[in-house]
Amino acid sequence: MRIVLAVGGGIAAYKSAEVARLLVKAGHEVQAVLTASAQEFIRPLTFSTLTGKKVITELFSESSYVEHIEVAREHDLLLIAPATAGILARLANGHADDFLSTMYLAFTGNVVLAPSMNDNMWSHPATQANLALLESRGAKIVSPGDGFLACGTTGPGRLAEPEDIVAAITPKSDLEGETILITAGPTQEPIDPVRYLSNRSSGKMGYALAEAALNRGAKVILVSGPVNLKPPAKAEVIAVRTAVEMRDAVFAHLEGATIIVKCAAVADYRVANVSQQKIKKTAARLSLEFDPTPDILAELGRKKGDRVLIGFAAETENLKQEAERKLESKNCDMIVANLAAAVESDTNEVMLALRTGETISLPRASKREVAEKIFDQVLKLRLAMSAHGD
Ligand code: C5P
């Protein structure tokens, strides 16, 4: 691939020299770009030596062609590592005040951002809003890790390891041949012709799983409750409203599925006597009676065969115990547990409870990144299960 490696001005800039070395070693053609602040931390000579190419350090040069447009046109991928808070803000707002921000606007290929900054700067709503905006426009984020930061504090903000950054830009096709059935979003249980009961699930986690799976070569069947999201173009989408409709759609598509991810926030109860007419307002107290809905995941647990079955658990307390209990009681291979507060968010912090007895806590990251890690674990689990003849 032809890659622009742009380096921002943060202490982690020294690590991007290793990123450049690994990219060149993997056979990529690398054009390094250093912002003015990056040059306070690391010299262009380091990158020109590693990449064998003159490094771009400013917007205006004496050359006869319009360099920021040419560079944008000639490269397939723009990787920014470290992406500082300032770079994220400038890109999110479309500023064009240096080589990187100007070239970014002209760039039509894939963009990968590896942010790094102080933990408070990272958590600031402005930074998180900029990141969410850039991600919604298609940028892939390689989230920082947790650890000791140069400013003396410990927390999220440390640049991802160079190997992980390079792995993130390497296309995978490790889900080729799989048919993945994903449920997403809430269900709506009618009360009368105009009212319903539902929950705050946004569907973002399930849609991120669908995108990640498609990107890794899988066929995806997405059974979706009502959400405000555009489904990935290549997914087969089945739109449902109620828990019963979701159950029917899932079992109608179970046959060909090899992996099932039950990400949807299914209502546990539905109104027993749905009124055929709109319920009138009176001064009296109104009671509704509920019947339990079918537990789709539990039924899948009984009928799964050798499919990999993944359930979700959104809890307000006792995350680990609840995840382990559901793993067992619903006969799943993995439970992805998160705090209920994550439902509407763009990021998620989850714990994976696996059939092997292992539990893995993942650091807070975008839902897309969490999706990638879930599938990494599914593939490992499959290997472990076949080794045990499970
Ligand atoms: O037991 P609990 O409802 O918390 O378990 C959550 C998991 O079960 C999720 O994976 C959800 O999709 C699934 N579920 C289901 N059918 C229901 C309720 C929950 O498949 N009626």
Side-chain angles (χ1 to χ4, degrees), residues 97-112:
D97 53 6
D98 69 354
F99 183 87
L100 173 57
S101 53
T102 314
M103 194 273 289
Y104 167 76
L105 290 180
F107 193 75
T108 55
N110 292 330
V111 177
V112 178

PDB file of all heavy atoms in Angstrom, residues 97-112:
ATOM      1  N   ASP A  97      -4.844  24.660   7.619  1.00  0.00           N
ATOM      2  CA  ASP A  97      -3.846  25.663   7.976  1.00  0.00           C
ATOM      3  C   ASP A  97      -2.423  25.122   8.059  1.00  0.00           C
ATOM      4  O   ASP A  97      -1.514  25.817   8.494  1.00  0.00           O
ATOM      5  CB  ASP A  97      -4.238  26.359   9.289  1.00  0.00           C
ATOM      6  CG  ASP A  97      -4.519  25.364  10.405  1.00  0.00           C
ATOM      7  OD1 ASP A  97      -4.291  24.152  10.189  1.00  0.00           O
ATOM      8  OD2 ASP A  97      -4.968  25.791  11.480  1.00  0.00           O
ATOM      9  N   ASP A  98      -2.239  23.861   7.683  1.00  0.00           N
ATOM     10  CA  ASP A  98      -0.877  23.334   7.540  1.00  0.00           C
ATOM     11  C   ASP A  98      -0.942  22.199   6.514  1.00  0.00           C
ATOM     12  O   ASP A  98      -2.031  21.912   5.976  1.00  0.00           O
ATOM     13  CB  ASP A  98      -0.272  22.901   8.887  1.00  0.00           C
ATOM     14  CG  ASP A  98      -0.946  21.662   9.482  1.00  0.00           C
ATOM     15  OD1 ASP A  98      -1.959  21.197   8.911  1.00  0.00           O
ATOM     16  OD2 ASP A  98      -0.466  21.173  10.514  1.00  0.00           O
ATOM     17  N   PHE A  99       0.184  21.558   6.247  1.00  0.00           N
ATOM     18  CA  PHE A  99       0.178  20.533   5.198  1.00  0.00           C
ATOM     19  C   PHE A  99      -0.812  19.411   5.517  1.00  0.00           C
ATOM     20  O   PHE A  99      -1.643  19.029   4.690  1.00  0.00           O
ATOM     21  CB  PHE A  99       1.589  19.947   4.988  1.00  0.00           C
ATOM     22  CG  PHE A  99       1.604  18.950   3.872  1.00  0.00           C
ATOM     23  CD1 PHE A  99       1.795  19.354   2.551  1.00  0.00           C
ATOM     24  CD2 PHE A  99       1.351  17.599   4.111  1.00  0.00           C
ATOM     25  CE1 PHE A  99       1.752  18.441   1.506  1.00  0.00           C
ATOM     26  CE2 PHE A  99       1.302  16.682   3.069  1.00  0.00           C
ATOM     27  CZ  PHE A  99       1.506  17.113   1.770  1.00  0.00           C
ATOM     28  N   LEU A 100      -0.739  18.882   6.770  1.00  0.00           N
ATOM     29  CA  LEU A 100      -1.577  17.723   7.116  1.00  0.00           C
ATOM     30  C   LEU A 100      -3.075  18.039   6.996  1.00  0.00           C
ATOM     31  O   LEU A 100      -3.820  17.299   6.347  1.00  0.00           O
ATOM     32  CB  LEU A 100      -1.235  17.251   8.545  1.00  0.00           C
ATOM     33  CG  LEU A 100      -2.131  16.158   9.108  1.00  0.00           C
ATOM     34  CD1 LEU A 100      -2.128  14.918   8.211  1.00  0.00           C
ATOM     35  CD2 LEU A 100      -1.694  15.778  10.529  1.00  0.00           C
ATOM     36  N   SER A 101      -3.518  19.149   7.615  1.00  0.00           N
ATOM     37  CA  SER A 101      -4.955  19.430   7.617  1.00  0.00           C
ATOM     38  C   SER A 101      -5.460  19.755   6.207  1.00  0.00           C
ATOM     39  O   SER A 101      -6.599  19.436   5.859  1.00  0.00           O
ATOM     40  CB  SER A 101      -5.274  20.566   8.596  1.00  0.00           C
ATOM     41  OG  SER A 101      -4.475  21.689   8.313  1.00  0.00           O
ATOM     42  N   THR A 102      -4.605  20.342   5.383  1.00  0.00           N
ATOM     43  CA  THR A 102      -5.012  20.683   4.011  1.00  0.00           C
ATOM     44  C   THR A 102      -5.075  19.411   3.156  1.00  0.00           C
ATOM     45  O   THR A 102      -6.048  19.177   2.429  1.00  0.00           O
ATOM     46  CB  THR A 102      -4.014  21.686   3.408  1.00  0.00           C
ATOM     47  OG1 THR A 102      -3.768  22.708   4.365  1.00  0.00           O
ATOM     48  CG2 THR A 102      -4.536  22.302   2.134  1.00  0.00           C
ATOM     49  N   MET A 103      -4.046  18.587   3.303  1.00  0.00           N
ATOM     50  CA  MET A 103      -4.006  17.339   2.533  1.00  0.00           C
ATOM     51  C   MET A 103      -5.165  16.438   2.938  1.00  0.00           C
ATOM     52  O   MET A 103      -5.786  15.783   2.101  1.00  0.00           O
ATOM     53  CB  MET A 103      -2.650  16.654   2.799  1.00  0.00           C
ATOM     54  CG  MET A 103      -2.291  15.551   1.854  1.00  0.00           C
ATOM     55  SD  MET A 103      -2.936  14.000   2.390  1.00  0.00           S
ATOM     56  CE  MET A 103      -1.888  13.707   3.782  1.00  0.00           C
ATOM     57  N   TYR A 104      -5.502  16.422   4.245  1.00  0.00           N
ATOM     58  CA  TYR A 104      -6.608  15.594   4.761  1.00  0.00           C
ATOM     59  C   TYR A 104      -7.912  15.907   4.018  1.00  0.00           C
ATOM     60  O   TYR A 104      -8.667  15.000   3.656  1.00  0.00           O
ATOM     61  CB  TYR A 104      -6.766  15.829   6.269  1.00  0.00           C
ATOM     62  CG  TYR A 104      -8.055  15.284   6.842  1.00  0.00           C
ATOM     63  CD1 TYR A 104      -8.231  13.923   7.064  1.00  0.00           C
ATOM     64  CD2 TYR A 104      -9.123  16.137   7.148  1.00  0.00           C
ATOM     65  CE1 TYR A 104      -9.416  13.425   7.574  1.00  0.00           C
ATOM     66  CE2 TYR A 104     -10.311  15.653   7.655  1.00  0.00           C
ATOM     67  CZ  TYR A 104     -10.456  14.296   7.865  1.00  0.00           C
ATOM     68  OH  TYR A 104     -11.637  13.806   8.357  1.00  0.00           O
ATOM     69  N   LEU A 105      -8.158  17.193   3.769  1.00  0.00           N
ATOM     70  CA  LEU A 105      -9.409  17.565   3.091  1.00  0.00           C
ATOM     71  C   LEU A 105      -9.441  17.068   1.646  1.00  0.00           C
ATOM     72  O   LEU A 105     -10.503  16.787   1.104  1.00  0.00           O
ATOM     73  CB  LEU A 105      -9.603  19.087   3.126  1.00  0.00           C
ATOM     74  CG  LEU A 105      -9.914  19.691   4.492  1.00  0.00           C
ATOM     75  CD1 LEU A 105     -10.087  21.204   4.371  1.00  0.00           C
ATOM     76  CD2 LEU A 105     -11.170  19.080   5.099  1.00  0.00           C
ATOM     77  N   ALA A 106      -8.259  16.956   1.061  1.00  0.00           N
ATOM     78  CA  ALA A 106      -8.206  16.513  -0.338  1.00  0.00           C
ATOM     79  C   ALA A 106      -8.106  14.994  -0.443  1.00  0.00           C
ATOM     80  O   ALA A 106      -8.197  14.433  -1.537  1.00  0.00           O
ATOM     81  CB  ALA A 106      -6.991  17.154  -1.015  1.00  0.00           C
ATOM     82  N   PHE A 107      -7.940  14.330   0.700  1.00  0.00           N
ATOM     83  CA  PHE A 107      -7.679  12.884   0.700  1.00  0.00           C
ATOM     84  C   PHE A 107      -8.982  12.100   0.624  1.00  0.00           C
ATOM     85  O   PHE A 107      -9.915  12.360   1.391  1.00  0.00           O
ATOM     86  CB  PHE A 107      -6.907  12.527   1.986  1.00  0.00           C
ATOM     87  CG  PHE A 107      -6.332  11.154   1.959  1.00  0.00           C
ATOM     88  CD1 PHE A 107      -5.208  10.876   1.194  1.00  0.00           C
ATOM     89  CD2 PHE A 107      -6.902  10.128   2.689  1.00  0.00           C
ATOM     90  CE1 PHE A 107      -4.672   9.595   1.156  1.00  0.00           C
ATOM     91  CE2 PHE A 107      -6.376   8.846   2.654  1.00  0.00           C
ATOM     92  CZ  PHE A 107      -5.259   8.583   1.888  1.00  0.00           C
ATOM     93  N   THR A 108      -9.057  11.113  -0.271  1.00  0.00           N
ATOM     94  CA  THR A 108     -10.303  10.354  -0.408  1.00  0.00           C
ATOM     95  C   THR A 108     -10.145   8.889   0.020  1.00  0.00           C
ATOM     96  O   THR A 108     -11.091   8.114  -0.035  1.00  0.00           O
ATOM     97  CB  THR A 108     -10.813  10.398  -1.863  1.00  0.00           C
ATOM     98  OG1 THR A 108      -9.754   9.927  -2.701  1.00  0.00           O
ATOM     99  CG2 THR A 108     -11.217  11.800  -2.287  1.00  0.00           C
ATOM    100  N   GLY A 109      -8.928   8.495   0.425  1.00  0.00           N
ATOM    101  CA  GLY A 109      -8.695   7.105   0.835  1.00  0.00           C
ATOM    102  C   GLY A 109      -9.068   6.881   2.302  1.00  0.00           C
ATOM    103  O   GLY A 109      -9.705   7.722   2.940  1.00  0.00           O
ATOM    104  N   ASN A 110      -8.652   5.737   2.837  1.00  0.00           N
ATOM    105  CA  ASN A 110      -8.961   5.395   4.236  1.00  0.00           C
ATOM    106  C   ASN A 110      -8.103   6.198   5.199  1.00  0.00           C
ATOM    107  O   ASN A 110      -6.930   6.441   4.933  1.00  0.00           O
ATOM    108  CB  ASN A 110      -8.708   3.904   4.481  1.00  0.00           C
ATOM    109  CG  ASN A 110      -9.702   3.062   3.715  1.00  0.00           C
ATOM    110  OD1 ASN A 110     -10.828   3.492   3.485  1.00  0.00           O
ATOM    111  ND2 ASN A 110      -9.274   1.876   3.302  1.00  0.00           N
ATOM    112  N   VAL A 111      -8.709   6.589   6.300  1.00  0.00           N
ATOM    113  CA  VAL A 111      -7.983   7.365   7.313  1.00  0.00           C
ATOM    114  C   VAL A 111      -7.960   6.568   8.620  1.00  0.00           C
ATOM    115  O   VAL A 111      -8.992   6.061   9.065  1.00  0.00           O
ATOM    116  CB  VAL A 111      -8.689   8.724   7.553  1.00  0.00           C
ATOM    117  CG1 VAL A 111      -7.999   9.514   8.658  1.00  0.00           C
ATOM    118  CG2 VAL A 111      -8.723   9.531   6.257  1.00  0.00           C
ATOM    119  N   VAL A 112      -6.784   6.437   9.192  1.00  0.00           N
ATOM    120  CA  VAL A 112      -6.643   5.741  10.477  1.00  0.00           C
ATOM    121  C   VAL A 112      -5.982   6.704  11.460  1.00  0.00           C
ATOM    122  O   VAL A 112      -4.959   7.306  11.152  1.00  0.00           O
ATOM    123  CB  VAL A 112      -5.785   4.454  10.329  1.00  0.00           C
ATOM    124  CG1 VAL A 112      -5.615   3.767  11.675  1.00  0.00           C
ATOM    125  CG2 VAL A 112      -6.418   3.502   9.320  1.00  0.00           C
TER     126      VAL A 112
END
